[in-house]
Amino acid sequence: MNLSEFLDARRPAWRELDRLLARAEAREVTDLGHERARRLVDLYRRASADLVQARTYGAGLEVTRYLEALVARGYALLYAAPALRLGSSLWDFFRRRFPARLRREARAFGLVTAAFAAGLLLGGLTTALDPEAARLFVPAQHQEFRPSERVQADEKRQAEGEGPGSLEHAAFSSFLFTHNISVSITCFALGVAWGLPTLLLIAWHGVFIAALGVEYVRDGVGTFFFAWILPHGIPEMTCMLLAGTAGLMLGRGVLWPRGLPRGARVREEARGALELLGGAAALLIVSGLIEGTLSQIHEPTLPYAAKIGFALVFGALLHGWLWLWPMGGSRRE
């Protein structure tokens, strides 16, 4: 086939591709329908091959430029990244993907929760049976005063209007947010060591919380403790358990490659784990805001019963969404 025959034979297909591209560019490829879309892909591939032949035969600058523009338009249309719809993407993530991922990892979440519960039991029983054990479990800053002395001081400041202002609340929320992020990342990262350090770290947090709670209850200010801890503690502990679950997923990839190279298996598990961490990150923001504001407001400004009630309602809504809320039609992941 000489150059003239080549051009005469291929021009009708180029014109057809031009028309299909113009129609798709004015709308979307999906608006072409199945058959036209398949035809567009086929013509695009042929035009790409024709461009190589046109250059080989020396078809001339006008023809090669026309084909280059045609192929470039086809490539931009067929291989362009889908338009980012941030609002709908976030809605889909929190509406479906995040809770769906967590429900698929219910066993791992249950194991992490069991480790936390074991820590609570150990810390609570040990401190209840041996008051001196609190010195081992409770941080030094909580041992400078008796719990009742701290409560009296906090309530006195509230009554005198000397509680933290908006700037102090914002600064404290920022500090707590970064601290909680570091704890969550640590729980996740340690999971690569077969998941054992993650479980131990989460259990240790349970020991500390239970030991501190026993100290407050023993000193007669248990209501203050629960009103102080629960509003932010419920989302905060949920975040920690989510991070721990993500860490166990990494450990699972290390322990059971399932026929894949271990590195590839870990990367596969990490993609799912990152969905849990994405949801945990959003909850960390909520937890930090609550901890820096509501949790620091005490009686007589805000009744303890109201704070505890808020915490229980918030916790019920949170876990109802995570475990019970219907996610609509399922999609293949």
Side-chain angles (χ1 to χ4, degrees), residues 251-270:
R252 183 174 63 196
V254 174
L255 285 172
W256 296 291
R258 298 180 184 177
L260 295 174
R262 186 164 275 105
R265 181 60 182 161
V266 171
R267 287 193 295 272
E268 183 179 281
E269 292 284 5

Side-chain angles (χ1 to χ4, degrees), residues 51 105 116 158 196 219 232 255 267 303 311 316 328:
L51 176 59
E105 301 298 336
F116 181 63
Q158 292 282 324
L196 294 178
D219 209 24
H232 68 270
L255 285 172
R267 287 193 295 272

Side-chain angles (χ1 to χ4, degrees), residues 25-296:
E25 288 165 348
R27 302 176 185 176
E28 288 186 1
V29 177
T30 53
D31 288 335
L32 294 177
H34 181 68
E35 291 302 324
R36 285 197 180 96
R38 289 186 59 183
R39 179 63 175 166
L40 186 151
V41 172
D42 183 54
L43 291 172
Y44 163 75
R45 290 172 177 169
R46 293 183 185 181
S48 299
D50 291 344
L51 176 59
V52 175
Q53 288 185 286
R55 289 169 174 168
T56 302
Y57 292 153
L61 189 61
E62 183 179 353
V63 173
T64 55
R65 283 186 174 176
Y66 173 74
L67 284 175
E68 286 172 354
L70 202 60
V71 169
R73 288 169 61 198
Y75 181 88
L77 184 71
L78 296 174
Y79 295 98
L84 178 62
R85 297 178 175 89
L86 184 58
S88 60
S89 298
L90 287 175
W91 169 252
D92 180 66
F93 177 78
F94 288 109
R95 173 73 174 79
R96 185 185 61 85
R97 289 173 54 197
F98 171 45
R101 174 62 64 180
L102 177 59
R103 294 175 197 183
R104 284 197 295 273
E105 301 298 336
R107 290 184 179 180
F109 187 86
L111 182 57
V112 171
T113 304
F116 181 63
L120 288 173
L121 184 63
L122 175 62
L125 285 178
T126 304
T127 309
L129 296 174
D130 181 9
E132 292 300 317
R135 298 184 181 275
L136 299 175
F137 302 144
V138 177
Q141 65 266 30
H142 289 282
Q143 299 183 29
E144 296 176 357
F145 303 96
R146 290 179 56 189
S148 58
E149 293 174 344
R150 176 191 170 174
V151 172
Q152 290 172 3
D154 284 350
E155 290 179 347
K156 181 180 178 181
R157 283 196 297 270
Q158 292 282 324
E160 296 175 352
E162 296 179 1
S166 57
L167 292 178
E168 288 81 359
H169 280 315
F172 192 49
S173 297
S174 177
F175 163 75
L176 293 168
F177 179 56
T178 55
H179 172 265
N180 293 338
I181 286 178
S182 66
V183 172
S184 298
I185 290 176
T186 302
C187 288
F188 168 65
L190 289 177
V192 78
W194 299 352
L196 294 178
T198 293
L199 294 175
L200 290 174
L201 179 60
I202 287 175
W204 170 248
H205 274 76
V207 169
F208 153 65
I209 292 171
L212 189 63
V214 168
E215 283 289 281
Y216 274 75
V217 171
R218 180 186 288 124
D219 209 24
V221 286
T223 303
F224 172 91
F225 175 80
F226 291 113
W228 169 43
I229 290 293
L230 287 180
H232 68 270
I234 289 176
E236 188 175 285
M237 291 303 103
T238 301
C239 291
M240 187 184 69
L241 297 178
L242 288 170
T245 303
L248 289 192
M249 293 172 68
L250 289 185
R252 183 174 63 196
V254 174
L255 285 172
W256 296 291
R258 298 180 184 177
L260 295 174
R262 186 164 275 105
R265 181 60 182 161
V266 171
R267 287 193 295 272
E268 183 179 281
E269 292 284 5
R271 284 193 289 271
L274 287 175
E275 290 187 342
L276 293 184
L277 290 181
L283 289 179
L284 279 176
I285 296 174
V286 176
S287 174
L289 291 174
I290 295 174
E291 189 169 4
T293 53
L294 180 64
S295 294
Q296 308 308 316

